Amino acid sequence: QQQQQQQQNKARQRQEMEKKQQAKPKFKDLEAALKALVVSDLRANLWAVNENFKDNHLMMLKAITAFLNEQLRVDSVDPIFADKPQSYPYSVIPRELQELIDETVADAGEQNVQYFYDLSLSNLASDMNRNQPHLGHKIMLQAMAQSNPQICANNLARNAILRNSFQNRSNVGLSLLWALGQGGFGDPDVGLKVWQDIMVPVIDLKTYSKYVVEYIHAILSQHKSTNLEISSSEFLTILSSLTTQVKASRDLANLLEEASKLLVERY
């Protein structure tokens, strides 16, 4: 009976917290939310966390994410930030905040960052599915991918399962593709692996096809002077995926054709 009472109390506390979150005013767009963000408040928060959890880098990363989720409440945000530069939203956050995030990620070490990246993907999907604030996850995922692109490709099998779980929620699914695809802008080899394993399986789905095709074209269009470092079997698999999409519209088919030529040129 005592255990049941504790569970009821926890459920009540969770409901009260969600009510408070829903009552908090939202901003019209991300830029407005970022402008209102006070970085010194975050620094004070991190100082308190470090006092309680000395040199616990995961707790520091979690604290930044929680702070950003709480502060960046926006009415509605495109899941892939369509029509924005590929470096968005990280490129528009205040320089002081960028430096603080980059420093915290660097101090955390590769193993912690990999763990937190995968955890953040799951939390992003979960929070979006429950209509909870989630932009902090996206900013941190992008920051970590920029710092170490390879983390996006290290657990593809696990993250394919995560994608499958939310495939019917296109806003969540697209957000996962966006997050996993961030490493490809720093390392095209990573981008190609993510594209083949994570994105190609949903390329025929109407809500995903445009993003999936535009992504591979973007990845292959940048840093054209750099040769790709993929195996011959990976090359052939990706080339096959590019040239066998019979359901693509004319515009997307043209992009796929261009992408296949770029792949051959750069291999």
Side-chain angles (χ1 to χ4, degrees):
Q1 189 175 2
Q2 186 178 2
Q3 188 176 4
Q4 187 178 4
Q5 184 67 38
Q6 288 176 343
Q7 289 175 343
Q8 289 175 346
N9 288 338
K10 284 183 180 178
R12 197 177 300 115
Q13 288 173 355
R14 188 163 56 248
Q15 288 173 350
E16 289 174 0
M17 188 177 296
E18 288 180 359
K19 282 181 182 177
K20 285 181 182 178
Q21 288 177 340
Q22 289 167 0
K24 188 162 183 173
K26 292 183 178 180
F27 294 92
K28 64 175 183 176
D29 55 38
L30 182 55
E31 283 82 354
L34 285 167
K35 192 174 289 186
L37 189 147
V38 181
V39 179
S40 59
D41 288 349
L42 175 57
R43 288 192 181 277
N45 195 345
L46 291 178
W47 181 86
V49 169
N50 195 46
E51 285 294 300
N52 291 318
F53 305 95
K54 201 69 177 175
D55 296 327
N56 188 321
H57 299 295
L58 282 174
M59 290 302 296
M60 299 287 276
L61 291 169
K62 288 178 181 178
I64 295 177
T65 306
F67 180 87
L68 293 176
N69 277 339
E70 182 65 21
Q71 299 299 317
L72 303 179
R73 293 170 169 274
V74 179
D75 283 329
S76 63
V77 179
D78 188 286
I80 56 171
F81 304 111
D83 302 321
K84 298 288 187 182
Q86 65 189 36
S87 58
Y88 186 92
Y90 205 64
S91 57
V92 299
I93 71 174
R95 176 61 62 87
E96 184 184 2
L97 178 57
Q98 277 190 21
E99 291 173 352
L100 180 57
I101 293 173
D102 291 344
E103 181 183 319
T104 307
V105 169
D107 289 345
E110 194 171 317
Q111 189 173 353
N112 280 329
V113 170
Q114 180 71 66
Y115 172 82
F116 191 68
Y117 179 85
D118 291 324
L119 177 65
S120 295
L121 279 174
S122 297
N123 288 341
L124 170 66
S126 177
D127 283 349
M128 289 190 72
N129 196 46
R130 295 185 294 119
N131 294 318
Q132 294 296 305
H134 62 272
L135 288 175
H137 296 306
K138 285 195 168 183
I139 286 174
M140 293 301 289
L141 284 162
Q142 189 179 35
M144 289 184 281
Q146 288 180 359
S147 171
N148 182 3
Q150 185 60 42
I151 61 175
C152 300
N154 283 341
N155 289 312
L156 291 177
R158 172 195 177 279
N159 291 323
I161 295 172
L162 181 64
R163 180 213 60 213
N164 288 343
S165 300
F166 294 94
Q167 191 168 294
N168 293 331
R169 292 287 307 273
S170 60
N171 64 324
V172 181
L174 283 168
S175 292
L176 291 173
L177 298 195
W178 175 87
L180 285 162
Q182 290 304 300
F185 295 114
D187 184 339
D189 297 326
V190 167
L192 289 172
K193 290 174 183 175
V194 169
W195 185 77
Q196 180 60 46
D197 287 15
I198 300 293
M199 300 191 189
V200 169
V202 295
I203 196 171
D204 285 336
L205 301 181
K206 187 177 180 181
T207 51
Y208 292 95
S209 57
K210 186 173 185 290
Y211 179 74
V212 173
V213 173
E214 289 179 347
Y215 176 82
I216 188 63
H217 187 269
I219 291 299
L220 289 168
S221 296
Q222 63 177 14
H223 311 306
K224 289 183 182 179
S225 60
T226 307
N227 288 335
L228 299 170
E229 296 182 6
I230 54 176
S231 68
S232 57
S233 62
E234 287 173 327
F235 167 77
L236 291 172
T237 300
I238 294 166
L239 184 61
S240 175
S241 296
L242 286 169
T243 54
T244 56
Q245 303 304 327
V246 293
K247 294 183 180 179
S249 66
R250 180 177 295 180
D251 289 343
L252 295 184
N254 289 339
L255 284 179
L256 286 169
E257 185 178 353
E258 287 179 25
S260 63
K261 290 177 181 176
L262 288 167
L263 179 71
V264 172
E265 288 171 6
R266 296 184 58 179
Y267 181 61

